[in-house]
Amino acid sequence: MSDDAPELRASDADRERVAEVLRDALAEGRLDMAEFEERLETAYKARTYGELAPLTRDLPAGQTAAPAVSLHKAPVESGSWVSRVIGGEGSSSWAVAIMSGFQRKGAWTVPRRFNCFSFWGGGEIDLREADFADREVEINCVAIMGGMQIIVPPGVEVIVRGIGIMGGFDHREEGVPGEPGAPRVIVTGFAFWGGVGVERKLTRAERLRLKEEHRQEKLDRRAERRELQAARREERWEQRDRRRHRHH
């Protein structure tokens, strides 16, 4: 299929391949949510390759000569665990909250050891979009009459070694095997009249991707049911025609 055939009709599979490129671009930060939603809506409404092509032309996975729209999902190394364990130093190595709060979230680099302290305060340490200085990182939390929340993405192994006195550390995420190449996060420290929580969450982009996958699965099932119903109707008509021929 070539660039000189923009009027060729696009199939459901073509539209879904473009949608997959857009989801990857959203997860990598190449598109913001508004751009993603606008392009995705256009992709699902597109009838020809000419309408699909502009949607991925400025994206890495869409830079193919023929056709201009990428009809094959290219291997994407960016975002994999291999690309997220980058070595070097962390972009932030400590945080303090005294009758206040702190956040570490979004795109940042987790150092080999991150120290944080809260007194009558709280903090959030979100690792879902972070890079890691090493395959094993330690988050040391000291919470005095305060609390901290550590959010990790699926696939990361968590080990909790903190000590609580009239407080505690959340151990619910321990024991979940890590994915190949994923970092290990060790949570240490001390909590007095305070607590340190650990939970796994998907990023917003990943939740949206799964939602879109579920939506497409529903559309595929509906299409299969329609095809089956059409085939049954056709079979009934053929049976009626055969009966009429036998009578004549």
Side-chain angles (χ1 to χ4, degrees), residues 44-89:
Y44 281 128
K45 291 180 178 178
R47 296 182 179 275
T48 66
Y49 285 122
E51 293 172 297
L52 285 175
L55 302 177
T56 59
R57 191 169 284 147
D58 59 347
L59 301 175
Q63 299 297 320
T64 53
V69 60
S70 175
L71 300 182
H72 301 281
K73 184 182 177 184
V76 179
E77 188 65 24
S78 177
S80 68
W81 289 123
V82 172
S83 71
R84 292 178 64 179
V85 180
I86 62 175
E89 301 296 326

Side-chain angles (χ1 to χ4, degrees), residues 101-213:
F102 70 81
Q103 280 188 329
R104 294 293 183 274
K105 62 189 299 185
W108 67 295
T109 301
V110 185
R112 290 174 178 82
R113 180 181 171 93
F114 181 83
N115 294 299
C116 50
F117 172 81
S118 71
F119 175 75
W120 280 12
E124 180 183 70
I125 305 163
D126 191 337
L127 310 183
R128 289 176 292 175
E129 298 178 15
D131 291 328
F132 297 81
D134 204 343
R135 283 285 306 278
E136 182 173 290
V137 298
E138 179 182 347
I139 299 178
N140 182 59
C141 304
V142 177
I144 309 296
M145 293 182 285
M148 298 179 196
Q149 191 71 10
I150 301 170
I151 303 172
V152 300
V156 168
E157 181 185 1
V158 176
I159 298 173
V160 179
R161 296 175 180 165
I163 299 172
I165 297 177
M166 291 184 286
F169 280 73
D170 191 344
H171 290 261
R172 288 176 297 176
E173 299 299 344
E174 278 194 302
V176 179
E179 294 177 356
R184 177 186 293 115
V185 176
I186 300 175
V187 180
T188 61
F190 174 74
F192 177 72
W193 280 13
V196 177
V198 183
E199 63 179 328
R200 294 181 196 272
K201 283 186 179 180
L202 296 171
T203 62
R204 184 183 180 191
E206 184 66 12
R207 289 198 304 271
L208 183 60
R209 186 185 69 80
L210 293 174
K211 181 180 178 181
E212 287 299 325
E213 284 184 0

Side-chain angles (χ1 to χ4, degrees), residues 9-10 12 15 37-48 51-52 55 215:
R9 303 286 287 191
D12 288 340
R15 285 185 280 270
E37 291 174 347
E38 181 180 352
R39 294 195 191 194
L40 188 67
E41 182 179 1
T42 303
Y44 281 128
K45 291 180 178 178
R47 296 182 179 275
T48 66
E51 293 172 297
L52 285 175
L55 302 177
R215 173 182 177 274

Side-chain angles (χ1 to χ4, degrees), residues 23 25 33 43 49 126 138 176 190 217 221 240-242:
R23 293 185 193 108
M33 187 61 64
Y49 285 122
D126 191 337
E138 179 182 347
V176 179
F190 174 74
E217 287 172 1
R221 287 196 295 269
R240 291 175 185 175
D241 288 341
R242 285 196 293 270

